Amino acid sequence: MEFDLSVINRNNPYNIDIEKFIEQFYGFIQINHLYDSAIREIETKLEIIDNEFQSTFKRNPIHNIQSRLKSPQSIAQKLAKKNIPITAESILSNLHDMAGVRVICHYIDDIYAVANFLSLHDDIQLIKQKDYIKNPKPSGYRSLHLIVTVPVFLSTGKKIVPVEIQIRTMAMDFWASLEHQLHYKQSSKVSDDIAQELRMCAETINDTDIKMQSLYERINKIE
């Protein structure tokens, strides 16, 4: 894509630095491609883990894999909150959750198995881990969060890119999705009684997860 700067400058009543704008524009496109490539790398590794698990244990630990890139609005808001310039360089230096992968597993044990298998890859480095399963958030939210880095090989060389990975069961994802919708539709903070009911639902779902894990183990022993 080429820009005719003479045409753009003639229609620039706000005296914007067009060359700088175009440089930033291309920078954001390249950043987007970089993080999208990192997501693909992680997804490929997860698919390989899932396929190997199937070959070894005759079942798949992963029910579904979802991914997302942060929206430009979300990026701008997060950097602005930190009083950081909104540039491609700032994104690389300051945002670890620009690229996100969500892994939905069948059982709680599968969450830790998938995380462990990922850690065995010598090209993946764990930067941070937050275990909201063993230590749920006050709202009742449960999930295992990992920030990892993965190498992406471009024509200009290797880039080390951070990716946020959330691993949870189907039941945890069900609760989190509905809780997010309820908060999104609520213009103000939810009332204490609703928050309490949400926490109770989270506990019920956690109890169900534990029971399903136990049932699987009992059935597997029988077989």
Side-chain angles (χ1 to χ4, degrees), residues 6-19:
S6 63
V7 173
I8 295 174
N9 282 317
R10 285 198 301 270
N11 297 281
N12 184 17
Y14 301 105
N15 297 316
I16 297 170
D17 186 335
I18 298 299
E19 289 191 9

Side-chain angles (χ1 to χ4, degrees), residues 78-221:
K78 194 154 190 178
L79 291 177
K81 267 186 183 179
K82 298 181 178 182
N83 293 316
I84 296 170
I86 303 171
T87 65
E89 293 75 17
S90 292
I91 293 171
L92 272 172
S93 303
N94 298 284
L95 293 188
H96 285 164
D97 60 348
M98 170 74 178
V101 176
R102 183 173 298 156
V103 186
I104 313 302
C105 294
H106 293 100
Y107 302 103
I108 294 174
D109 284 359
D110 291 338
I111 293 172
Y112 295 103
V114 168
N116 181 60
F117 283 131
L118 267 179
S119 71
L120 297 177
H121 290 251
D122 56 15
D123 58 346
I124 287 185
Q125 182 178 355
L126 178 65
I127 303 301
K128 185 186 292 185
Q129 175 174 312
K130 289 187 178 180
D131 192 338
Y132 295 117
I133 299 170
K134 294 177 181 175
N135 302 289
K137 288 187 177 183
S139 64
Y141 174 86
R142 286 174 169 82
S143 184
L144 180 65
H145 287 201
L146 311 174
I147 301 290
V148 304
T149 58
V150 62
V152 174
F153 294 89
L154 305 174
S155 59
T156 54
K158 181 173 73 172
K159 297 285 187 182
I160 303 300
V161 186
V163 179
E164 181 187 50
I165 306 173
Q166 298 178 358
I167 316 177
R168 59 181 69 154
T169 64
M170 291 183 285
M172 293 173 193
D173 190 57
F174 165 77
W175 182 91
S177 298
L178 291 183
E179 191 261 357
H180 176 76
Q181 283 187 6
L182 290 171
H183 278 282
Y184 181 78
K185 290 184 177 182
Q186 185 82 14
S187 57
S188 58
K189 184 181 176 181
V190 298
S191 61
D192 290 341
D193 61 322
I194 290 177
Q196 176 63 22
E197 287 194 48
L198 282 169
R199 284 192 292 270
M200 289 172 62
C201 287
E203 290 297 329
T204 300
I205 284 174
N206 183 57
D207 289 342
T208 302
D209 259 336
I210 293 171
K211 288 176 183 176
M212 293 303 291
Q213 177 79 54
S214 177
L215 283 170
Y216 166 75
E217 291 170 355
R218 285 164 58 191
I219 292 170
N220 198 48
K221 284 179 182 177

Side-chain angles (χ1 to χ4, degrees), residues 45-61:
K45 290 179 182 296
L46 289 166
E47 288 166 3
I48 291 171
I49 288 170
D50 197 46
N51 288 338
E52 183 183 1
F53 211 93
Q54 168 64 31
S55 299
T56 305
F57 302 106
K58 307 304 179 189
R59 73 175 189 86
N60 299 93

